[in-house]
Short mmCIF file of all heavy atoms in Angstrom, two decimals:
data_model
loop_
_atom_site.label_atom_id
_atom_site.label_comp_id
_atom_site.label_asym_id
_atom_site.label_seq_id
_atom_site.Cartn_x
_atom_site.Cartn_y
_atom_site.Cartn_z
N LYS A 55 -13.89 -20.49 10.06
CA LYS A 55 -14.49 -19.27 10.59
C LYS A 55 -13.50 -18.16 10.82
O LYS A 55 -13.88 -17.04 10.94
CB LYS A 55 -15.18 -19.58 11.94
CG LYS A 55 -16.54 -20.09 11.85
CD LYS A 55 -17.19 -20.43 13.13
CE LYS A 55 -17.42 -19.15 14.01
NZ LYS A 55 -18.75 -18.48 13.85
N ARG A 57 -11.77 -18.12 13.59
CA ARG A 57 -12.13 -17.82 14.97
C ARG A 57 -10.94 -18.01 15.88
O ARG A 57 -10.26 -18.99 15.76
CB ARG A 57 -13.27 -18.83 15.31
CG ARG A 57 -13.72 -18.77 16.79
CD ARG A 57 -15.00 -19.55 16.88
NE ARG A 57 -15.44 -19.86 18.22
CZ ARG A 57 -16.74 -19.67 18.57
NH1 ARG A 57 -17.65 -19.20 17.69
NH2 ARG A 57 -17.19 -20.00 19.77
N PRO A 141 -20.53 -23.85 16.28
CA PRO A 141 -20.69 -22.34 16.45
C PRO A 141 -21.64 -21.80 15.39
O PRO A 141 -22.01 -22.59 14.47
CB PRO A 141 -19.33 -21.82 16.19
CG PRO A 141 -18.68 -22.70 15.23
CD PRO A 141 -19.32 -24.07 15.44
N SER A 142 -22.00 -20.50 15.35
CA SER A 142 -22.82 -19.99 14.30
C SER A 142 -21.99 -20.07 13.03
O SER A 142 -20.79 -19.91 13.01
CB SER A 142 -23.13 -18.50 14.65
OG SER A 142 -21.96 -17.86 15.07
N ASN A 144 -20.91 -18.54 10.41
CA ASN A 144 -20.47 -17.25 9.82
C ASN A 144 -18.95 -17.09 10.02
O ASN A 144 -18.43 -17.65 11.06
CB ASN A 144 -21.16 -16.05 10.42
CG ASN A 144 -20.98 -16.06 11.98
OD1 ASN A 144 -21.54 -16.89 12.76
ND2 ASN A 144 -20.25 -15.12 12.42
N SER A 150 -24.46 -13.35 12.70
CA SER A 150 -24.79 -14.69 12.60
C SER A 150 -25.87 -14.92 11.50
O SER A 150 -26.70 -14.05 11.23
CB SER A 150 -25.35 -15.26 13.84
OG SER A 150 -24.41 -15.20 14.88
N GLU A 179 -28.77 -16.23 18.76
CA GLU A 179 -28.20 -17.39 19.32
C GLU A 179 -28.84 -17.79 20.67
O GLU A 179 -29.40 -16.92 21.33
CB GLU A 179 -26.62 -17.22 19.49
CG GLU A 179 -25.92 -16.89 18.21
CD GLU A 179 -25.93 -15.30 17.99
OE1 GLU A 179 -26.70 -14.66 18.68
OE2 GLU A 179 -25.14 -14.88 17.26
N ARG A 193 -25.14 -15.13 28.25
CA ARG A 193 -25.62 -14.60 27.00
C ARG A 193 -27.16 -14.68 26.96
O ARG A 193 -27.67 -15.78 27.12
CB ARG A 193 -24.96 -15.32 25.83
CG ARG A 193 -25.38 -14.85 24.45
CD ARG A 193 -24.65 -15.47 23.36
NE ARG A 193 -25.24 -16.80 23.07
CZ ARG A 193 -24.69 -17.55 22.08
NH1 ARG A 193 -23.65 -17.23 21.38
NH2 ARG A 193 -25.24 -18.78 21.87
N HIS A 234 -18.59 -8.54 18.04
CA HIS A 234 -19.37 -9.60 17.48
C HIS A 234 -20.39 -8.94 16.57
O HIS A 234 -20.68 -7.84 16.62
CB HIS A 234 -20.19 -10.19 18.64
CG HIS A 234 -19.87 -11.65 18.79
ND1 HIS A 234 -18.72 -12.01 19.48
CD2 HIS A 234 -20.52 -12.74 18.39
CE1 HIS A 234 -18.76 -13.41 19.50
NE2 HIS A 234 -19.77 -13.84 18.84
N TYR A 235 -21.00 -9.81 15.77
CA TYR A 235 -22.23 -9.45 15.13
C TYR A 235 -22.06 -8.17 14.17
O TYR A 235 -23.02 -7.57 13.93
CB TYR A 235 -23.32 -9.20 16.11
CG TYR A 235 -23.33 -10.17 17.19
CD1 TYR A 235 -23.00 -9.89 18.51
CD2 TYR A 235 -23.69 -11.53 16.90
CE1 TYR A 235 -22.99 -10.78 19.50
CE2 TYR A 235 -23.74 -12.51 17.96
CZ TYR A 235 -23.34 -12.08 19.28
OH TYR A 235 -23.39 -13.08 20.26
MG1 MG B 602 -21.24 -16.70 16.84
#
Side-chain angles (χ1 to χ4, degrees):
K55 275 180 67 90
R57 174 169 171 134
S142 48
N144 53 291
S150 297
E179 305 88 341
R193 180 174 78 182
H234 241 80
Y235 318 110

